[in-house]
Amino acid sequence: MNTRALSSSAPIGVFDSGVGGLTVARAIRDQLPNESILYVADSAHNPYGPRPIAEVRRLALEVLDELVAQGVKMLVIACNTASAAVLRDAYERYDVPVVEVIGPTVRSALAITRNGRVGLIGTAGTIQSRAYDDLFAVRSDVKLSSQACPRFVELVEAGKTSGEETLQVAEEYLRPLVEQGIDTLVLGCTHYPFLRGALRQVVGPGVALVSSDIETANSVFEVLTEQGLLRPAGAGEPTIRYETTGQDNDEFMRLARRMLGIGIDSIDPVPTGAIALPHNESQLLEEA
């Protein structure tokens, strides 16, 4: 890893496999309206959830490498599955600060829970990685119960965030967690906040819902402040630029507008292809 001087005027690089990470980008913009953002969606390979963790790691590192090459001052991994896949790598691989969505969310859940029973919902990849389990393990008095919810992303991107079908699916996924007496539910995917109404109806008012968007934005603010990287007030008008590895940009813009009310004027294409890993990293992939 080479060390380089970071420009406080450079954009924050935000990465997700699709549109879900826009929730994180929006939360960052709400807290830090003077910051510029470069958002990259690996929509050519979306969704990440069903993919093997080693494949997700390769795909995520490719996009993160591209963001660093474009000169961002910080990386925000706004995808739970990708965060789980590269949690150990990103901090060592890059010479810019890295914020991912799992750590901030876990810290918030640990501060909130009253009875030590926490539920986690996420994609199959996130749950199978056990990345959340490892971080919650710092508290022996906390019991984590996890549930993969593969249909939730499908429902959100189809615009089905409420209604009978959505409630039935939520009931099926969440009832086992409710029966274990959880008082805190971690929404371990950036799509899940769009289902907050249905989730609340199933778990009831006594269960706190913890999502990654606001907690991650808090961490971004803290890290930029600590490292003196907040964008100067006189640096000009901040910008938000969108890039995607996919071909269907119209669909990306449609989802962004419907899910977040974000009007996107244009999206730049980003090339994709397998990255060349050093020998020792290739071996890690084979062992993963």
Side-chain angles (χ1 to χ4, degrees), residues 183-195:
D183 74 347
T184 304
L185 179 66
V186 174
L187 313 188
C189 175
T190 50
H191 281 71
Y192 294 179
F194 297 106
L195 298 170

Side-chain angles (χ1 to χ4, degrees), residues 6-240:
L6 300 179
S7 169
S8 58
S9 298
I12 298 168
V14 181
F15 158 63
D16 186 28
S17 61
V19 297
L22 289 172
T23 58
V24 176
R26 181 177 64 178
I28 293 172
R29 193 64 184 266
D30 287 346
Q31 287 204 37
L32 295 162
N34 191 47
E35 295 292 338
S36 292
I37 295 173
L38 172 55
Y39 185 95
V40 176
D42 188 16
S43 48
H45 304 105
N46 183 54
Y48 275 6
R51 296 180 181 274
I53 201 73
E55 181 184 7
V56 172
R57 177 177 177 270
R58 175 180 63 80
L59 294 170
L61 290 176
E62 177 186 357
V63 177
L64 295 171
D65 284 353
E66 174 64 24
L67 278 168
V68 171
Q70 292 193 53
V72 299
K73 67 180 179 183
M74 167 183 275
L75 290 172
V76 179
I77 308 173
C79 171
N80 280 263
T81 307
S83 292
V86 302
L87 202 57
R88 294 178 298 174
D89 304 282
Y91 294 105
E92 299 177 359
R93 185 180 182 91
Y94 302 113
D95 58 359
V96 300
V98 176
V99 173
E100 40 74 34
V101 292
I102 296 178
T105 309
V106 169
R107 289 192 291 272
S108 178
L110 289 175
I112 289 172
T113 183
R114 304 175 305 279
N115 67 5
R117 297 180 182 180
V118 177
L120 165 68
I121 54 175
T123 67
T126 296
I127 300 302
Q128 291 168 8
S129 75
R130 299 187 64 82
Y132 275 94
D133 300 71
D134 291 344
L135 294 182
F136 272 106
V138 301
R139 285 270 302 275
S140 60
D141 60 319
V142 172
K143 177 186 177 183
L144 180 67
S145 301
S146 303
Q147 175 66 53
C149 304
R151 289 198 60 197
F152 276 171
V153 171
E154 169 192 329
L155 289 170
V156 169
E157 297 206 353
K160 299 178 180 179
T161 56
S162 61
E164 185 178 346
E165 180 185 3
T166 301
L167 279 173
Q168 287 178 349
V169 174
E171 177 76 25
E172 176 187 343
Y173 287 148
L174 299 180
R175 185 52 52 191
L177 300 180
V178 173
E179 290 175 352
Q180 294 185 49
I182 63 167
D183 74 347
T184 304
L185 179 66
V186 174
L187 313 188
C189 175
T190 50
H191 281 71
Y192 294 179
F194 297 106
L195 298 170
R196 187 178 292 270
L199 301 178
R200 170 63 64 209
Q201 187 163 340
V202 173
V203 302
V207 176
L209 303 182
V210 182
S211 60
S212 55
D213 49 356
I214 295 174
E215 305 307 330
T216 303
N218 289 340
S219 288
V220 169
F221 179 86
E222 292 171 4
V223 172
L224 290 180
T225 301
E226 290 170 358
Q227 300 201 18
L229 288 174
L230 288 171
R231 191 167 182 267
E237 190 70 20
T239 61
I240 297 187

Side-chain angles (χ1 to χ4, degrees), residues 38-43 66-67 70 241-245 249 252 266-270:
L38 172 55
Y39 185 95
V40 176
D42 188 16
S43 48
E66 174 64 24
L67 278 168
Q70 292 193 53
R241 181 176 158 202
Y242 302 93
E243 295 182 351
T244 177
T245 61
N249 291 345
F252 182 91
S266 64
I267 302 175
D268 298 321
V270 122

